[in-house]
Amino acid sequence: MKYAEIISQMTLEEKASLMSGKDFWQTQDIQRFGINNIFLADGPHGIRKQEAAADHLGLNSSVPATCFPTAATVANSWNVELGQKIGEYLGEEAVSQKVNVLLGPGINMKRNPLCGRNFEYFSEDPYLTGKMAAGYIRGIQSHGISACVKHFCVNNQEERRMSINTIVDERALREIYLTAFEIAVKEGKTKALMSSYNMLNGTYTNENMHLMHDILRGEWNYKGCVITDWGGSNDRVAGLIAGNELEMPTTAGETNEEIIQAIKSEKIKEDVLDQSVDRLLELIFTTEEVYKKAHKKFDMQEHHRVAQEVAEESIVLLKNEENILPLKNGTKVAVIGDFAKEARYQGAGSSVVNPTILDHTLDCFEESRIVSIGYETGFERYGKKSNKRIDRACELAKEADVILLYIGLDEVTEAEGLDRQNMNISDNQIELLNALQKVNQNIVAILSCGCAVEMPWINKVKGLLHGYLSGQAGAKAIIRVLSGDVNPSGKLTETYPIHYEDTPSFKNFPGKEVSVEYREGIYIGYRYYDAANVEVRFPFGYGLSYTTFEYSCIEVNKNGVTFKLTNSGSTQGMEIAQLYVGCKSENIFRAKKELKGFVKIFINAGETKSVTIPFDDKTFRYFNIKTNKWEVEASEYKIMIGASSADIRLKDTIFMEGSGAPLPYDKDKLTSYYSGKVNNVVTEEFENLIGCKVPVSTWDRTKPLGYNDTIAQCKYAKGLFARFAFNMIVFAYWFLRKIGKRSTANIIMMSIYHMPFRGIARMTGGALNIPMLNGILMIVNGHFFKGLNHLLKERSKMVKAAKAKKIA
């Protein structure tokens, strides 16, 4: 241990005290050893440091910081160096605000397009996600502080995220859901990692020895610190044994006492605690080093310019019929849509940033060559229909050469803690589009949202520009792409299905009660659409440019692939060339192709460049469940270079010697997986894949409710008071939505309705402890007076103990 001398002088109580927070955002300090408390702050795309009332849902405003584009946006740049640059600027701002640990980036897979937090995640592909995340981490940590990669792992739905049991086979876990974390740990060298709320195959992730001990600490040799998601600790001692150092937020010493008692009773050895203290001290001391010297405030204008640069490189041009874009000099445009006036530029929840500067679309036309003849809202932001707004918009549209129609999803439709109900843009926006198309067919739609949406309306527009959630400088970046000052170079990092029903997880998302089954296995995103031959709206890796690129002269050897890339158009631009690999053998089920490398390269008009994409340790591997190792199958492999997953320009083959591992599967028992048609896998076949029985996915309504049951389950509680409270919560949610308070209604769902009972104790900073919670559970389970008496007694005990401690 690095800090053995300090640890040997600490009391058991002091060591245990370091294992949970001092308050909502800070760790505990022990001044006699020079151990300071360190500050943790949300920050996937901007620093959210709260100095006053603390919360984890983005309710209270934070210190102003640059709001960069979200991860889902930046991923579209496919530029790892750009990700590292963002990280460097985030790190600089974190240091200026005295933040030690920045809680991000988020690298969960986009398993399903309805996950409410997809705007905060990079991609449906683990390789791309891992590479982008490693760039962010290197940038953040270049300033001496720590990134904190999250949420480890299989946290792919927001509904019931604090208690859902994710059932996933080992191969899909390794190849799809852990690969990005592996890259973040090995290449990004993240100092901290956040465990997720959910269970993995029956065990909470921060207690899961296979995940935390065997894989993270063992195979990946991770030496950093593991931090719980806020309120995400279930059994504190089990978490400590698995290697979870820090529980957040504070529990006012309650779980520290659990650790102390476990050591005194010899349930665990004190050495387990010492190892955890050592790793936490490394995080504290190394991230405090940077604050020994003075730091100046960051340059807001410079950071704003970088945010604009990032947005410009991340915008995706999806449609450009008749080359309507870029707009010609002097084009008269009608600007229509509520999102033009009040930009939708970031997500909602714990990632909400208080921007230092905010560009507005209507203020940006003066600097461009585009002539705006006026603006109309056209629609009400939150879905209310208005014929008057549509009529006014149509009158303006008649006078314009081109309509710039700003549409998208509002702030409460995609948010932390909630999943989307569908993939639709609201009806009132589509009604507006239909009306506009009747009076002027030159429509360019600018889409603002952080996720995939259905587009049955796409034939009504000639141009479609997807800005995603482009940060505080996004409005100007979009104008610069529309005008041609910037040649769009972004490409999608998620597939856009034609219909939500086309998605492989359609029948298994979200898990509504006990568990969610990942029956599609390794086939998520383009892996599924390719294998099952399902037509899509836009494929993974797709994006248009104002110029054209030609690919030629492919050469493959054992080290990688080289080819020539020519800008065959008349405009300079950047192209994203993508390397896909497919195994020709049919002995093991595989996706037809998998992304194994990419490069973004700038090329002048008429210029040709030679491009090399190297192979690495992940190019040919698969995870073998029999050997429990990564193996290489002896086979010929297809090497494909594409402009997207569906636009392969160059092909070659290479034979790879295998590692000689036994075949892992009985082909006859996994017919759906060998065909790739996994959207309706029967229970028996899924059980053959996971190697055990599928657990019961519904609540046992005969048992008393316990710590890990949710408030939602009070609808069948034995206690009349609990059922009444449940109905009041449901009514409050309905009423708030009815009167237009959708944001407040959402808070009820994510912070009350789906909260497990233990979360009440874990998220109240010790104001309500487990003994008091036991009283609440008695009330819930039908023992009202006994429970109320217990609750009041335990409350009195806690108050007396706090007073005695204060006097002492």
Side-chain angles (χ1 to χ4, degrees):
M1 293 193 302
K2 188 173 181 179
Y3 303 100
E5 186 176 346
I6 294 176
I7 294 170
S8 67
Q9 299 175 58
M10 296 170 69
T11 66
L12 176 58
E13 288 72 18
E14 285 174 325
K15 288 186 285 189
S17 74
L18 291 172
M19 296 293 97
S20 65
K22 180 179 182 177
D23 53 29
F24 208 84
W25 296 112
Q26 296 182 91
T27 63
Q28 187 59 261
D29 59 314
I30 305 176
Q31 289 303 318
R32 76 186 186 100
F33 294 112
I35 301 171
N36 297 325
N37 49 46
I38 60 172
F39 200 100
L40 301 89
D42 286 311
H45 58 268
I47 318 301
R48 191 176 80 92
K49 182 177 181 180
Q50 293 178 298
E51 291 187 331
D55 74 85
H56 194 53
L57 298 172
L59 307 182
N60 299 312
S61 62
S62 54
V63 178
T66 307
C67 181
F68 291 95
T70 68
T73 313
V74 181
N76 294 331
S77 75
W78 294 65
N79 189 334
V80 175
E81 289 73 26
L82 189 66
Q84 183 163 332
K85 185 174 183 178
I86 294 171
E88 289 169 0
Y89 279 77
L90 285 170
E92 183 184 349
E93 293 195 25
V95 170
S96 76
Q97 294 191 25
K98 209 175 185 308
V99 169
N100 300 75
V101 179
L102 203 55
L103 303 176
I107 62 173
N108 295 103
M109 289 297 99
K110 296 186 180 185
R111 173 184 178 245
N112 184 285
L114 297 187
C115 175
R117 214 167 177 180
N118 275 350
F119 65 85
E120 208 171 312
Y121 302 140
F122 289 104
S123 174
E124 67 187 30
D125 183 82
Y127 187 87
L128 175 60
T129 295
K131 293 294 184 178
M132 291 299 296
Y136 269 65
I137 295 161
R138 287 191 294 267
I140 292 167
Q141 296 187 168
S142 68
H143 288 274
I145 63 164
S146 173
C148 183
V149 173
K150 60 185 185 181
H151 309 87
F152 191 64
C153 62
V154 290
N155 178 187
N156 307 107
Q157 70 176 64
E158 289 296 287
E159 185 172 325
R160 302 201 70 252
R161 60 179 176 166
M162 292 187 78
S163 55
I164 199 74
N165 182 17
T166 301
I167 310 301
V168 59
D169 70 283
E170 184 71 11
R171 183 173 165 210
L173 176 68
R174 300 299 195 110
E175 293 186 10
I176 304 298
Y177 299 101
L178 288 182
T179 291
F181 285 100
E182 179 186 358
I183 295 171
V185 167
K186 290 182 177 179
E187 297 181 23
K189 301 189 185 305
T190 185
K191 295 179 182 180
L193 179 148
M194 183 188 291
S195 57
S196 56
Y197 285 124
N198 54 283
M199 288 187 278
L200 167 61
N201 294 328
T203 306
Y204 281 96
T205 56
N206 78 313
E207 303 168 13
N208 193 305
M209 290 296 286
H210 177 54
L211 179 67
M212 298 276 287
H213 185 269
D214 299 345
I215 299 173
L216 179 63
R217 302 287 187 191
E219 293 179 24
W220 301 350
N221 196 31
Y222 179 62
K223 303 297 185 184
C225 188
V226 176
I227 303 166
T228 68
D229 204 338
W230 266 236
S233 177
N234 170 54
D235 182 325
R236 187 64 189 98
V237 174
L240 187 71
I241 293 169
N244 169 204
E245 285 77 27
L246 180 61
E247 176 186 11
M248 290 299 289
T250 181
T251 60
E254 184 176 24
T255 55
N256 301 340
E257 187 60 30
E258 291 174 11
I259 293 171
I260 292 167
Q261 293 307 317
I263 291 171
K264 286 182 176 178
S265 65
E266 299 184 348
K267 183 178 179 180
I268 59 173
K269 293 180 180 179
E270 193 166 349
D271 182 60
V272 173
L273 175 59
D274 291 347
Q275 294 286 346
S276 289
V277 171
D278 191 66
R279 288 192 289 260
L280 182 60
L281 289 180
E282 174 70 2
L283 181 67
I284 292 171
F285 289 144
T286 57
T287 60
E288 277 289 281
E289 194 69 27
V290 68
Y291 297 112
K292 291 181 179 178
K293 50 190 175 183
H295 291 278
K296 61 181 180 180
K297 291 183 178 180
F298 67 92
D299 186 329
M300 289 186 184
Q301 291 294 338
E302 181 191 351
H303 284 225
H304 184 73
R305 284 193 296 272
V306 171
Q308 180 183 317
E309 173 195 334
V310 173
E312 289 172 356
E313 199 170 320
S314 304
I315 291 166
V316 186
L317 179 61
L318 293 175
K319 185 177 182 182
N320 197 18
E321 187 180 312
E322 299 176 8
N323 290 320
I324 194 169
L325 294 176
L327 297 173
K328 295 177 178 60
N329 286 353
T331 300
K332 293 187 296 182
V333 300
V335 183
I336 297 172
D338 188 52
F339 295 113
K341 187 175 182 181
E342 298 291 336
R344 172 82 204 289
Y345 61 94
Q346 65 174 326
S350 64
S351 67
V352 169
V353 178
N354 182 12
T356 55
I357 303 167
L358 184 58
D359 287 343
H360 296 281
T361 300
L362 301 181
D363 299 330
C364 295
F365 285 102
E366 289 183 8
E367 297 179 29
S368 74
R369 296 183 297 275
I370 304 169
V371 179
S372 170
I373 64 168
Y375 163 75
E376 287 291 343
T377 58
F379 61 85
E380 194 277 329
R381 195 178 195 86
Y382 296 108
K384 188 177 179 181
K385 296 184 179 181
S386 171
N387 289 330
K388 287 183 180 179
R389 294 187 191 216
I390 291 176
D391 291 342
R392 287 198 297 267
C394 287
E395 285 303 311
L396 179 65
K398 291 175 184 176
E399 307 300 319
D401 298 324
V402 174
I403 299 167
L404 297 182
L405 178 61
Y406 285 74
I407 58 176
L409 298 178
D410 60 66
E411 291 81 355
V412 295
T413 296
E414 47 178 341
E416 178 182 354
L418 296 164
D419 295 313
R420 288 194 292 156
Q421 299 302 304
N422 54 59
M423 285 185 67
N424 303 331
I425 300 288
S426 63
D427 290 343
N428 66 340
Q429 295 182 43
I430 305 309
E431 286 179 9
L432 170 65
L433 171 58
N434 291 335
L436 291 172
Q437 207 251 351
K438 290 177 182 177
V439 300
N440 188 336
Q441 295 186 354
N442 292 324
I443 301 174
V444 174
I446 295 94
L447 190 57
S448 298
C449 57
C451 53
V453 294
E454 288 185 9
M455 298 181 184
W457 42 264
I458 195 167
N459 290 332
K460 301 287 178 73
V461 302
K462 288 185 178 179
L464 178 58
L465 198 68
H466 201 336
Y468 269 71
L469 300 179
S470 51
Q472 66 181 47
K476 188 172 182 180
I478 287 168
I479 295 292
R480 282 172 53 78
V481 171
L482 291 170
S483 68
D485 290 334
V486 171
N487 188 352
S489 63
K491 294 194 177 188
L492 296 176
T493 60
E494 58 187 317
T495 308
Y496 276 52
I498 295 174
H499 306 290
Y500 174 58
E501 292 78 8
D502 296 335
T503 60
S505 55
F506 166 66
K507 294 183 178 179
N508 294 285
F509 180 92
K512 285 290 185 182
E513 295 193 2
V514 174
S515 61
V516 56
E517 297 163 10
Y518 286 29
R519 293 197 181 197
E520 70 280 359
I522 63 170
Y523 295 101
I524 76 165
Y526 70 89
R527 288 167 167 80
Y528 167 71
Y529 300 111
D530 279 358
N533 294 314
V534 176
E535 186 181 354
V536 299
R537 180 71 67 193
F538 294 114
F540 176 84
Y542 175 87
L544 300 175
S545 171
Y546 294 152
T547 190
T548 54
F549 296 94
E550 291 181 0
Y551 293 67
S552 62
C553 304
I554 186 171
E555 294 180 9
V556 177
N557 60 42
K558 64 179 182 179
N559 297 315
V561 55
T562 299
F563 56 96
K564 285 185 166 48
L565 192 56
T566 301
N567 183 339
S568 52
S570 58
T571 305
Q572 63 183 22
M574 289 185 279
E575 172 68 333
I576 299 161
Q578 303 153 40
L579 165 64
Y580 295 91
V581 175
C583 182
K584 285 193 170 185
S585 168
E586 296 181 354
N587 290 325
I588 301 166
F589 65 82
R590 304 269 192 117
K592 284 186 177 179
K593 66 174 80 76
E594 294 182 291
L595 183 73
K596 297 296 182 180
F598 56 92
V599 63
K600 187 167 193 176
I601 187 166
F602 175 87
I603 310 179
N604 285 310
E607 184 182 12
T608 298
K609 287 188 177 181
S610 180
V611 181
T612 298
I613 302 179
F615 298 152
D616 61 21
D617 62 323
K618 297 168 187 66
T619 305
F620 302 103
R621 74 178 190 177
Y622 76 96
F623 192 82
N624 188 301
I625 59 169
K626 278 193 176 178
T627 63
N628 196 40
K629 290 194 307 183
W630 293 100
E631 305 282 3
V632 174
E633 184 181 5
S635 176
E636 199 168 38
Y637 288 82
K638 292 179 282 186
I639 306 301
M640 296 163 273
I641 299 296
S644 79
S645 62
D647 184 10
I648 301 302
R649 303 290 184 89
L650 301 172
K651 295 180 182 179
D652 205 340
T653 60
I654 188 172
F655 183 83
M656 297 300 296
E657 296 289 344
S659 50
L663 294 177
Y665 302 116
D666 183 339
K667 196 172 185 177
D668 294 332
K669 293 182 178 180
L670 299 170
T671 54
S672 296
Y673 296 99
Y674 276 87
S675 71
K677 296 176 181 178
V678 294
N679 60 330
N680 193 23
V681 174
V682 298
T683 299
E684 182 181 2
E685 189 174 2
F686 185 55
E687 288 178 341
N688 286 331
L689 180 70
I690 62 177
C692 63
K693 287 287 184 184
V694 173
V696 176
S697 62
T698 53
W699 293 316
D700 185 345
R701 288 161 169 78
T702 64
K703 286 185 177 180
L705 297 181
Y707 296 132
N708 290 318
D709 293 311
T710 64
I711 309 298
Q713 291 170 253
C714 285
K715 65 182 175 183
Y716 64 81
K718 291 182 180 179
L720 180 63
F721 180 82
R723 295 199 301 275
F724 173 76
F726 168 80
N727 286 316
M728 288 302 296
I729 291 168
V730 172
F731 173 77
Y733 174 73
W734 171 85
F735 180 73
L736 288 166
R737 285 184 65 87
K738 193 75 174 175
I739 64 173
K741 302 288 186 181
R742 293 177 63 192
S743 183
T744 308
N746 283 354
I747 292 166
I748 288 176
M749 293 302 288
M750 62 181 162
S751 62
I752 300 175
Y753 191 82
H754 293 302
M755 175 80 75
F757 283 98
R758 65 175 164 80
I760 299 172
R762 295 291 184 252
M763 291 293 280
T764 54
L768 193 151
N769 60 21
I770 293 295
M772 291 168 66
L773 181 60
N774 290 335
I776 292 174
L777 285 171
M778 289 178 196
I779 294 171
V780 167
N781 289 312
H783 306 288
F784 181 83
F785 292 106
K786 182 181 178 182
L788 182 60
N789 184 53
H790 184 89
L791 174 63
L792 294 174
K793 278 185 177 179
E794 292 299 334
R795 173 67 182 168
S796 178
K797 280 184 190 177
M798 188 175 74
V799 171
K800 287 179 181 177
K803 284 182 180 178
K805 187 177 180 181
K806 196 172 182 180
I807 292 169

